[in-house]
Amino acid sequence: MAISVDDALGVHPQAMKLAHQRSQVIGANLANADTPNYKARDIDFEGAMRAELGRREGLSMTTTSEGHLAGSGGNPGELQYRVPHQPSIDGNTVEAAKEQTRFSENSMRYMASLQFVEGTFSTLNKAAGGQG
Amino acid sequence: MSFFSMFDTAGSAMTAQRLRMNVTSSNLANADTVSSSTGETYRARQPVFEAVYRQEQAAAGGNGGAGIGEASTGVRVREIVESEAPLQQQYNPNHPMANEEGYIFKPNVNQMEEMANLISAQRSYESNLEVFNSAKQMYMRTLQMGR
């Protein structure tokens, strides 16, 4: 039986890619915490992850005629605007404390996936007879 | 977005916050500068920030134009504006800078406001430094993967 590195790593490479993108978005939010009219953005991690895995749950529209188009509930990996608890008077919607929490949480996700990938490599290495 | 662009983002924010601190300390330093006419009097200055976007990415993006677009890649200082608040006019005929009517003019610097501004800038600087350090840690660990 052939060993597939892709299968062994599972969702973690995609999770790392997504966490990296999200950390850039949240980093940009924190950078613009004092910019007038800046609107905070974020990626829907769960939705994007589901889409990555190809198990996208449909918010599909009912089609009652052949001419109807099958609509979809938008691209889950797309950037979305955050709804602030209390918008500030200069139009900025960044809530620094919450963004910091999200940034830390997202870094932990990244690190967790990285840890798993490293573990898998070491396992595969051992299985392949290396010194691992 | 390049792999290391998080450094640029955090770096641009740190530069902007440093400039804000500079401007604020200049305001505080000149809070007691006296002059004899309104034209010469120092006025409180404030930087205005602006988000930076990478336009080429929006052009190349395959979101069909309907997408919300890309994330900001940093922040820059658009301009430095002078405060419109009225200057403090004081009747003090014995002052060496007093004009013919005996008035001196003091800057419209609100010291409490400037101190709060300074603390806010410092906090923002620190949070961006934290982002920078986390990013560095993430990249370092990734580069060491498999060792």
Side-chain angles (χ1 to χ4, degrees):
Chain A
M1 196 187 106
I3 294 175
S4 161
V5 178
D6 267 356
D7 282 352
L9 294 177
V11 299
H12 293 282
Q14 278 98 328
M16 274 171 74
K17 193 178 143 204
L18 197 58
H20 178 243
Q21 273 173 3
R22 189 163 179 235
S23 68
Q24 283 180 329
V25 174
I26 301 178
N29 286 347
L30 281 166
N32 284 297
D34 296 313
T35 308
N37 290 319
Y38 179 82
K39 308 291 178 216
R41 318 289 293 271
D42 201 359
I43 297 173
D44 173 16
F45 197 93
E46 310 288 331
M49 205 60 220
R50 261 203 303 277
E52 265 311 323
L53 292 170
R55 278 194 280 112
R56 204 166 134 194
E57 279 145 38
L59 265 178
S60 56
M61 301 229 249
T62 316
T63 50
T64 51
S65 157
E66 280 177 18
H68 287 173
L69 298 171
S72 71
N75 183 0
E78 224 165 60
L79 281 178
Q80 291 170 6
Y81 288 100
R82 206 187 289 302
V83 180
H85 267 264
Q86 198 174 25
S88 63
I89 202 159
D90 64 353
N92 187 305
T93 62
V94 179
E95 287 160 324
K98 288 178 88 177
E99 297 294 339
Q100 277 168 336
T101 328
R102 288 194 188 96
F103 190 85
S104 310
E105 181 233 314
N106 189 59
S107 311
M108 289 314 291
R109 277 180 199 256
Y110 184 89
M111 289 301 193
S113 290
L114 186 64
Q115 192 82 42
F116 185 87
V117 168
E118 278 181 346
T120 310
F121 276 144
S122 119
T123 310
L124 287 176
N125 211 10
K126 272 194 190 119
Q131 276 100 30
Chain B
M1 222 180 259
S2 90
F3 189 71
F4 296 110
S5 70
M6 229 193 303
F7 288 144
D8 297 336
T9 309
S12 74
M14 276 152 74
T15 313
Q17 297 295 347
R18 277 274 304 279
L19 193 132
R20 184 171 161 206
M21 277 192 247
N22 275 344
V23 172
T24 308
S25 49
S26 153
N27 287 346
L28 283 169
N30 283 297
D32 291 320
T33 319
V34 173
S35 75
S36 45
S37 76
T38 47
E40 294 166 15
T41 313
Y42 180 88
R43 284 163 198 272
R45 289 172 169 82
Q46 283 310 324
V48 179
F49 292 169
E50 182 184 43
V52 179
Y53 293 92
R54 270 238 318 242
Q55 295 306 321
E56 66 264 45
Q57 199 165 28
N63 282 341
I68 312 178
E70 91 275 46
S72 157
T73 54
V75 60
R76 66 165 163 246
V77 176
R78 188 175 66 201
E79 57 182 335
I80 292 177
V81 294
E82 286 192 345
S83 167
E84 301 282 326
L87 299 169
Q88 302 171 46
Q89 194 177 0
Q90 236 175 45
Y91 184 66
N92 192 348
N94 297 325
H95 197 282
M97 295 296 279
N99 62 11
E100 293 84 47
E101 287 105 44
Y103 283 104
I104 56 168
F105 295 92
K106 285 181 163 181
N108 53 359
V109 176
N110 183 338
Q111 296 199 29
M112 296 303 130
E113 211 173 89
E114 298 298 334
M115 283 311 292
N117 223 332
L118 196 64
I119 293 166
S120 166
Q122 197 183 347
R123 291 284 172 274
S124 299
Y125 185 89
E126 280 166 9
S127 88
N128 280 291
L129 193 63
E130 199 59 48
V131 170
F132 187 92
N133 281 332
S134 300
K136 190 174 144 197
Q137 220 181 344
M138 276 165 70
Y139 292 144
M140 285 311 283
R141 280 287 305 276
T142 312
L143 289 173
Q144 285 165 0
M145 183 163 54
R147 278 209 194 144

